[in-house]
Each structure stands twice: as C-alpha cells, then as structure tokens.
Amino acid sequence: MDAVRVALLREVLAGTEWLGATRRFAVALRGSVVSHGGGMLLVGTPEYEPWHLAAHLVDEAAWSGTPELAPTLVRHDARPSDPAHLAVGLGRLEAARRGETLLVVSPEGPAAPLLERVCDARRAGATVLSLGPGEGELPAMAHEALAVPDGSELDLDTVQHLVSAAAGENALPTPRGRRRFRDRVARLAEHLTAPPPARW
C-alpha cells in the first residue's frame, strides 16, 4: 500500500478510533527504538511472518531519516543459506537485552515456545510491543499493545500499514542547520510552484 492509498484510507477512517489507536502505537514504537537506540526485533508466528511490515518499516526508516525504525526480522524457519536479512532465527530473541525493542505481530495468540522467549526478552530488559489479539498472555506481558481482534473493521495487514506510515511521520525533528534531503526538495517544490510576486 503506497502513501496515497494510506492517505485515502485515513480519510475513510476519519472519526473512528483506528487513527488515534494506530498513531499512539506508532509513537510508542518510534519512541522506544529512538530513545533506547538498541534496535528493533520483529517476529511473528510460524504461520504468519510479518515480512511485509518489515519492508514498510525499512522504507519509513529511510524516508523519515530514522534508521532505528528498520527492524531485524526474526524468523521461525530461518536457514543459514537464506539471504542475510532473512537468516535471523529465534535464537536472536534469547540475545535480546535492555535497550532493544521487540515487536510481536500475530493474528492469534502465539504458542507457548514463542511466549517463553518473549517473556525472557522482557525479563532481560527489552521493551515488548504486541500487535494482534487483544486478549491472552502476549498483550498482558507487552509494554504496549494494539488489539486487532477477529471481526474488526480492519484486518491485521491494513493496521500494519497504518502503524508503519504513522511511525515514519512521527519521526523526531532533525537538528537545525542540517536539513534532510526530503525537506530541501519540498522547499524547492514550494518555491517553484508559488505564484509570482505581485508587481505594482
């Protein structure tokens, strides 16, 4: 889903709780990875790997100038022969420490082995965020959770688009004196499209 479709979706959702909920979750996500700087681990279930969210967060990280938003995708069936960005296995959760953020995306409550690893990561100091079921052990142990229960107006994939877009938009401002490339292009576009000055 591109930026135009996300904008249209937001118009359709105006007045619902979804816009505020996804923005609050995105602010918590961004705040965790930026303030701690330890990196983000993104994991799903064996049946549901959030690779699409990982790709969108990588894009948002680049566009917003917030490299901390680019996650490490942790996979259940990762193999050493996989490309590097797909070869990180569940053992990485065991190494999670203070300062790292763990985002768990699951359409249903994850099975006990994953819950145990998430619990261990939390005990080691990682910040845990949950995107998925509104009830169960995972949302209870998460520092921040966004519930997308079955039968919601939006499905989990659509909510992920809203969260990733909002996470990029809510990037911390860059220091004065060093403008980002996107800011310079926007200013140039405004200058080129502005009406000519009035002549008296």
Side-chain angles (χ1 to χ4, degrees):
M1 188 177 293
D2 58 28
V4 173
R5 289 182 182 160
V6 169
L8 290 172
L9 178 60
R10 285 177 173 164
E11 283 183 32
V12 170
L13 295 173
T16 70
E17 294 181 14
W18 284 109
L19 289 184
T22 54
R23 283 201 167 113
R24 279 190 298 277
F25 188 81
V27 166
L29 173 63
R30 189 204 71 237
S32 178
V33 297
V34 171
S35 63
H36 295 121
M40 184 194 331
L41 303 173
L42 175 61
V43 66
T45 64
E47 301 79 25
Y48 188 90
E49 288 191 334
W51 59 268
H52 200 77
L53 176 59
H56 280 291
L57 285 170
V58 166
D59 290 342
E60 292 297 337
W63 294 332
S64 68
T66 312
E68 298 91 345
L69 283 176
T72 298
L73 180 61
V74 178
R75 301 180 62 227
H76 289 261
D77 61 351
R79 296 178 301 271
S81 59
D82 289 335
H85 68 289
L86 298 175
V88 179
L90 290 176
R92 178 62 181 87
L93 297 183
E94 295 168 8
R97 294 291 175 257
R98 182 171 306 284
E100 291 186 303
T101 301
L102 173 56
L103 174 55
V104 184
V105 181
S106 170
E108 300 171 355
L114 178 58
L115 283 172
E116 289 171 15
R117 291 174 190 257
V118 172
C119 187
D120 290 344
R122 181 183 165 117
R123 273 199 295 269
T127 301
V128 176
L129 289 91
S130 163
L131 184 56
E135 298 178 353
E137 292 181 61
L138 179 59
M141 79 170 69
H143 293 92
E144 187 76 31
L146 178 57
V148 189
D150 273 344
S152 296
E153 303 87 4
L154 299 180
D155 63 10
L156 186 58
D157 290 335
T158 303
V159 171
Q160 289 176 66
H161 284 290
L162 292 169
V163 167
S164 62
E169 286 176 352
N170 292 324
L172 295 174
T174 55
R176 290 187 170 219
R178 295 199 72 202
R179 284 200 192 121
R180 294 179 299 185
F181 176 73
R182 198 162 78 171
D183 295 334
R184 293 194 309 261
V185 171
R187 187 177 168 131
L188 176 62
E190 285 175 17
H191 177 72
L192 293 174
T193 58
R199 296 183 185 235
W200 304 102

